[in-house]
Amino acid sequence: MNPSTPTPQQPLAQGSKNGPAGKMSNKKFWLIIVALLALIVISAGALIYTQTIGQAPTEEQLSEAQVSITADGFSPSTIQIKKGQSVVWSNTDEAAHLLTSDAGDSPIKSDTLNRGDEYSTIFDEPGTYPYYDQQDPQKFKGNVIVE
């Protein structure tokens, strides 16, 4: 037997804080385990948050899609946007216009828009949203397609 190796009858040598053969103490071991578990829990929480509600809007979603209301109708009459993006309708016509949609889930419902007025709404759900002008529904028709 090596004389420097402690036996059950021999106390640890002076200056040896880790016990036999340099093993770490139970306290340090459990402290490292708790720190690793905390790191895993925090990382998983951050990942879940980012994948669900924490995603920052993209540059495209922050930009507004533009539709002009002219004497000839909506320009463009069909517009394609991303989920979370807004559409702004600007009345450049001399006549007043009132935008609406018969689709039950459509967010398109403006007040009367006189020349120079704007109406904006955000589209949070994918789908196709047909709309029209209540003042002249045959001439003024459009669609917003949300991806």
Side-chain angles (χ1 to χ4, degrees), residues 1 24 74 118:
M1 177 178 280
M24 86 173 63
F74 300 116
E118 291 185 336

Side-chain angles (χ1 to χ4, degrees), residues 73-74 76-78 131-133 136-143:
F74 300 116
S77 61
T78 297
Y131 67 95
Y132 59 92
D133 176 12
D136 190 353
Q138 296 304 314
K139 183 176 180 182
F140 291 86
K141 295 178 185 178
N143 287 295

Side-chain angles (χ1 to χ4, degrees), residues 2-122:
N2 184 346
S4 64
T5 304
T7 63
Q9 295 83 19
Q10 293 178 319
L12 292 175
Q14 288 287 26
S16 177
K17 297 180 182 176
N18 290 333
K23 292 184 180 176
M24 86 173 63
S25 70
N26 272 349
K27 186 176 180 181
K28 284 184 182 179
F29 173 78
W30 287 110
L31 190 63
I32 290 172
I33 294 297
V34 168
L36 287 173
L37 287 174
L39 182 61
I40 290 168
V41 168
I42 290 170
S43 298
L47 180 63
I48 290 168
Y49 178 80
T50 301
Q51 290 180 342
T52 56
I53 60 173
Q55 289 180 333
T58 64
E59 188 78 26
E60 187 174 32
Q61 288 172 323
L62 292 175
S63 68
E64 298 174 329
Q66 301 286 324
V67 176
S68 295
I69 306 169
T70 69
D72 296 323
F74 300 116
S75 179
S77 61
T78 297
I79 191 163
Q80 195 164 353
I81 62 170
K82 299 286 186 194
K83 176 181 170 183
Q85 194 173 359
S86 64
V87 176
V88 177
W89 287 266
S90 302
N91 187 4
T92 61
D93 189 10
E94 293 295 325
H97 297 275
L98 181 63
L99 307 182
T100 193
S101 176
D102 291 333
D105 58 348
S106 177
I108 305 170
K109 304 224 184 302
S110 76
D111 291 332
T112 300
L113 301 172
N114 293 308
R115 181 175 176 82
D117 290 344
E118 291 185 336
Y119 167 70
S120 175
T121 191
I122 297 172

